[in-house]
Each structure stands twice: as C-alpha cells, then as structure tokens.
Amino acid sequence: MNHNLYQLLLGITWKKLAIATPLLLVVPIATATAELEIAQTTPNANVSSGQNVIVAGQETDYTLGAGDQIRLDIFQVDEYSGEYPVNVDGTISLPLVGAVNVEGLTLKQTEEAVSKQYSVYLKRPIVNAGLVAPRPLKIGVSGEVDNPGAYEFQLTPTTPDFPTVTDMIEQAGGITTLADVRNVQVNRTIQGRTTTFTSDLWSLLNNGQLSQDISLRDGDTIFLPTVEEINLAELERLSEASFGLQVDEPISVAVVGEIYSPGSLVVQPDQLATNNNQNNNGPKRDSLPPRLTQAIELAGGIKPTADVRAVEVRRETWDGKKKVMTVNLWDLFQSADADKDVILQEGDEITVSKAVALSDAELQQQAEFGRLSRDITVNVVGEVANPGAIQVKPNTPLNQAILAAGGFDKSRANQGEVELVRLNLDGTVEKREIDVDLASGANDENNPILKENDVVVVGRSGLAATSDAFRPAAAPLGILRLIFGF
C-alpha cells in the first residue's frame, strides 16, 4: 500500500528540519486527524463515572495494535530502517535493540519510543514512523439497530478512509424506530482509559454537521440508546437517511381486538417506481415503510364497536422492554397527515380496544356540549365542488352542509345517496346510508341534523366509478375506507 496515502489518511503534516549537514530531512509530526472544534465534557446518565464523556467534534490519533504494518526510517542508518509488523503481543522486533512495545501508541509516540531505544547506540537518532497497512478494524454496534453485533472493516487502497458511525450503523442494517439518534455513544479505549464520544446524528442529517459523524478506530463500540418518546414526524425523515429505517423488507406484526380478522400477518412495504426520487436533492428510495393503516386493512378493517381514538401499538426495545404508542385513527382521518400514520416495525403488537359504554351522565354531557357549541366542524368529502372541512352553525342539516361545500359535482357525484359517518362520544364509529332529497326539510330520515366532526361522504356515480377503476381514492376518503372498511 502507498505509504504517502496513509500519511495523508492519518492527518500527518510534514515539516522541514534543518540540521548541521547539507541535507534537509523531512520529519512527520503527528497531529490530530482533523482540526475540529474543541470537545466539551458533558454528563451522560448511561456512562459510568470513571469514563470521560466528550461530544462529537474532537478526533484522536491512530494508535497501533497487533496486525499493523509500519515503516521506520532512521536517518542515515539504512540498515536499521524498514517495514515491521506489530506482533500479537503489541511489540515490533528491531535490529540491535530487539522487541519494543508499541501497543496503543500513536506514530509520534512510537518515534519517541524507538528513538529512546536506539539512543544507547546512536547519537541523537532521528526516527520517522509511518503506517504502511493498518490492521482490520473490529467495531461493535449495539442498541437500537436492526442487526447488532461485531463487524470487521478492512482499509484498502480502494477504501482508504476510516469508517464512520453512520457507515457502521448502515452495515448493521440501519436504526430501529426507537433509536435516539441525538445521543449515539461511541466508546473508545486509549491506553487503558475509556472515553465516550456522543454523536448527534439528527444534526448531521438536518444541518450537515459532518463533525457529528465520528471517524472510528479499532475496538470502538457504538451504542444507540432508546428514545424517551417517539416522534412520528421525525421517523419520516429518518426513513430517508442512508443509516435510517429498514424500509425494503416485509415485517411480521400482530393485530388483535375489535378487528374483523385478528392474528399475525405480514405487511409489505409499498414499492415505488424504479426512477423515483423523493426530491431533486434527496435520497433515492425504492419503497415506503409499512404503516399502521396497511396492517389494519390486511386485518379486515375495524369493527363498529372499536374505540378508534385509542389504538395501541406495543413495540419492543433493544433490551426486551415494551414501549406503547396510542394512536387516534380519527385524527389521522381528519388531518389526512401521513406523519400520524405510524411506521411499523418487526414484531409490533397492535391492539384495537372495544369502546366502553357511556354512562347517563356522559350522554347528558354530550347533549349539553351540543347545545353550548357555537360553530361546529364537519367534513364533506368525495364528489363535491369543494371537499374538506367546513364550519357550520349547530343544528345544521345534511343538505345545507352539502350546499356549503359547493354542492354535488354533477358530472361525477351519486346525487341520490350519501354516507354519514359519525364518531360517537365512546369512540365508536357509526355509518348511515341516506337517500338525499335536497328539497326536504330537516328530518332524521333523509336530512338529519349534523354533529361536531361528522363526515359526509359523497360517492361517485356509476360512470365515474368505472372510469376511475384504476385510480386510488384520494385522502382522506381513501383513509376512511382503508381503516374503517367503509
């Protein structure tokens, strides 16, 4: 391997040193591998008190170990110069002086150690040490990653750079949805002392702070702790990162409770077009991560007796504990926001609870709330001129809400029948099919009074349905049919 290549790799600078001869000698001065901001000490609850904890920003020199191949040049003593392997006991065997221990030493420290040994035989020996071929790096990755374990990385002329934190996380299959990417820990032992570097990969991902992607050394261990609270919006961003969520493999989950086909099932990621790109500058993806609504659809949809406001997703952490997320499917439908549609993970347990019957007091409270309300919000979706949420007065009937949404789309709407979907106070969802008569006054049969959060679904006519056979329903209508089976 090219000697100069590894001098550059280790951040070695060169200085000309004038001596009492006509010659100029080039002597390497070992420096830090990168001139970065000064590291700051920071407390960390996951690290023992005997460890030094440093935030990302300070690199360390390469230290020698068994398997390294180094070159020593002793000025004007060619017979003692040459390439030497570091033996399994951490020593190099040199002419005249014998074994010299270099285990855990930097190149500069090695120069000093060898110079000291030869000073018995030579007057002021000048030693130049360089790394010819580094040993394979063994790095451990644990915590919230897909495939924790020990990994080996070999530096070669085609891959001369030391691996970084993100390189090894990617090699370990990427992070899980529970990873705390703001507090990734890198443990490194230098001459018997353990130092912990803390890396903020969220800053790397969003602000381009390259100093957070720490360059690794042999024997380093990476630990990704469990996040305290899952941020669903951030998971979408993490799914796009090179070291992010594994989104191209099917996963097994269990769905139980108020569902039509409970049990274990396999959820496939949605495949994208081969030339898909999320944006012009963003990462390229072949698939989208499996989501909660897909699992519910595969399980046959939710029963009318389900409490859609409190669907639980139980997820196992790296150490076998359980974290529980509570998802409000009605909010998901109302907002049509994909960030609220939970990205699933292998082994998730999804529980759809049964709604609890309301007491007389709760029913009275619901009635009082209806009387005290000012404007209420209802959704008119489907084939109307202006689909979406609208504000109407209390006691507004169905016909008036349809007109407030611009009326039927005459070329596409089924003008004879609509669906009224209502979220009850106990969390259940009720659906009615109503024969529309726009000339009718308010009545419960074909022009009922609407309540807060009611949804009026205007379907397609037969002709429009035929022409749209291969076009998916738009959100939020598609979400409604997907999770509620309507």
Side-chain angles (χ1 to χ4, degrees), residues 262-273:
S264 298
L265 49 88
V266 175
V267 185
Q268 299 283 348
D270 281 339
Q271 297 301 311
L272 299 176

Side-chain angles (χ1 to χ4, degrees), residues 189-210:
T189 301
I190 304 174
Q191 296 181 351
R193 179 179 174 82
T194 298
T195 298
T196 298
F197 298 88
T198 300
S199 173
D200 182 356
L201 296 185
W202 186 254
S203 293
L204 168 68
L205 187 61
N206 290 279
N207 304 321
Q209 293 185 11
L210 295 179

Side-chain angles (χ1 to χ4, degrees), residues 249-374:
E249 297 290 337
I251 61 171
S252 297
V253 300
V255 186
V256 297
E258 296 301 297
I259 208 85
Y260 284 104
S261 301
S264 298
L265 49 88
V266 175
V267 185
Q268 299 283 348
D270 281 339
Q271 297 301 311
L272 299 176
T274 55
N275 63 347
N276 175 72
N277 214 340
Q278 296 302 308
N279 53 61
N280 291 335
N281 300 315
K284 197 171 185 178
R285 298 196 300 186
D286 294 327
S287 57
L288 294 173
R291 296 184 183 272
L292 175 61
T293 54
Q294 289 176 263
I296 291 175
E297 181 190 20
L298 290 172
I302 288 176
K303 293 180 179 179
T305 52
D307 185 352
V308 298
R309 303 166 304 176
V311 175
E312 291 186 343
V313 179
R314 286 180 173 82
R315 184 164 296 170
E316 188 171 349
T317 65
W318 70 273
D319 55 355
K321 298 177 181 177
K322 294 282 188 180
K323 274 195 171 289
V324 179
M325 291 177 288
T326 301
V327 183
N328 189 327
L329 292 180
W330 189 259
D331 278 353
L332 170 60
F333 161 65
Q334 292 261 316
S335 65
D337 184 357
D339 289 344
K340 294 182 179 180
D341 192 1
V342 177
I343 294 176
L344 296 180
Q345 181 173 299
E346 177 71 26
D348 278 352
E349 300 171 4
I350 302 163
T351 302
V352 182
S353 301
K354 187 173 183 178
V356 178
L358 296 178
S359 66
D360 291 340
E362 289 171 320
L363 290 171
Q364 181 64 28
Q365 182 184 19
Q366 183 182 26
E368 289 295 329
F369 176 79
R371 282 197 293 270
L372 293 173
S373 294
R374 296 182 180 176

Side-chain angles (χ1 to χ4, degrees), residues 154-300:
Q154 179 66 62
L155 298 178
T156 67
T158 55
T159 57
D161 296 323
F162 286 100
T164 63
V165 170
T166 58
D167 290 332
M168 298 313 299
I169 292 176
E170 186 175 358
Q171 191 167 339
I175 62 173
T176 73
T177 59
L178 297 173
D180 183 356
V181 296
R182 289 178 171 82
N183 292 288
V184 180
Q185 298 167 16
V186 178
N187 296 309
R188 180 174 300 168
T189 301
I190 304 174
Q191 296 181 351
R193 179 179 174 82
T194 298
T195 298
T196 298
F197 298 88
T198 300
S199 173
D200 182 356
L201 296 185
W202 186 254
S203 293
L204 168 68
L205 187 61
N206 290 279
N207 304 321
Q209 293 185 11
L210 295 179
S211 62
Q212 300 294 335
D213 198 10
I214 299 172
S215 178
L216 300 175
R217 300 291 181 265
D218 183 42
D220 283 355
T221 59
I222 304 169
F223 175 70
L224 282 87
T226 304
V227 71
E228 288 295 326
E229 185 174 347
I230 299 174
N231 186 316
L232 299 181
E234 290 185 0
L235 287 183
E236 188 67 31
R237 183 77 175 95
L238 290 171
S239 70
E240 300 173 356
S242 62
F243 61 88
L245 308 177
Q246 183 76 262
V247 300
D248 57 355
E249 297 290 337
I251 61 171
S252 297
V253 300
V255 186
V256 297
E258 296 301 297
I259 208 85
Y260 284 104
S261 301
S264 298
L265 49 88
V266 175
V267 185
Q268 299 283 348
D270 281 339
Q271 297 301 311
L272 299 176
T274 55
N275 63 347
N276 175 72
N277 214 340
Q278 296 302 308
N279 53 61
N280 291 335
N281 300 315
K284 197 171 185 178
R285 298 196 300 186
D286 294 327
S287 57
L288 294 173
R291 296 184 183 272
L292 175 61
T293 54
Q294 289 176 263
I296 291 175
E297 181 190 20
L298 290 172

Side-chain angles (χ1 to χ4, degrees), residues 48-239:
S48 63
S49 58
Q51 292 179 326
N52 186 26
V53 183
I54 303 175
V55 296
Q58 183 184 45
E59 297 283 1
T60 59
D61 289 332
Y62 184 83
T63 55
L64 297 176
D68 284 328
Q69 184 84 4
I70 65 173
R71 177 170 180 83
L72 295 177
D73 289 306
I74 304 174
F75 181 62
Q76 294 185 336
V77 189
D78 292 342
E79 60 270 31
Y80 296 160
S81 301
E83 293 185 4
Y84 300 94
V86 179
N87 301 317
V88 292
D89 60 355
T91 64
I92 53 176
S93 298
L94 301 178
L96 190 62
V97 299
V100 178
N101 188 5
V102 296
E103 178 76 34
L105 300 184
T106 65
L107 291 177
K108 181 175 178 58
Q109 291 169 334
T110 299
E111 292 171 354
E112 294 170 350
V114 172
S115 178
K116 181 178 180 180
Q117 294 296 320
Y118 275 116
S119 64
V120 178
Y121 308 100
L122 303 173
K123 186 177 182 179
R124 290 191 297 180
I126 299 175
V127 179
N128 171 23
L131 183 65
V132 177
R135 64 192 182 274
L137 276 65
K138 294 181 180 178
I139 298 169
V141 187
S142 61
E144 295 295 346
V145 291
D146 222 39
N147 299 302
Y151 292 86
E152 189 170 287
F153 190 95
Q154 179 66 62
L155 298 178
T156 67
T158 55
T159 57
D161 296 323
F162 286 100
T164 63
V165 170
T166 58
D167 290 332
M168 298 313 299
I169 292 176
E170 186 175 358
Q171 191 167 339
I175 62 173
T176 73
T177 59
L178 297 173
D180 183 356
V181 296
R182 289 178 171 82
N183 292 288
V184 180
Q185 298 167 16
V186 178
N187 296 309
R188 180 174 300 168
T189 301
I190 304 174
Q191 296 181 351
R193 179 179 174 82
T194 298
T195 298
T196 298
F197 298 88
T198 300
S199 173
D200 182 356
L201 296 185
W202 186 254
S203 293
L204 168 68
L205 187 61
N206 290 279
N207 304 321
Q209 293 185 11
L210 295 179
S211 62
Q212 300 294 335
D213 198 10
I214 299 172
S215 178
L216 300 175
R217 300 291 181 265
D218 183 42
D220 283 355
T221 59
I222 304 169
F223 175 70
L224 282 87
T226 304
V227 71
E228 288 295 326
E229 185 174 347
I230 299 174
N231 186 316
L232 299 181
E234 290 185 0
L235 287 183
E236 188 67 31
R237 183 77 175 95
L238 290 171
S239 70

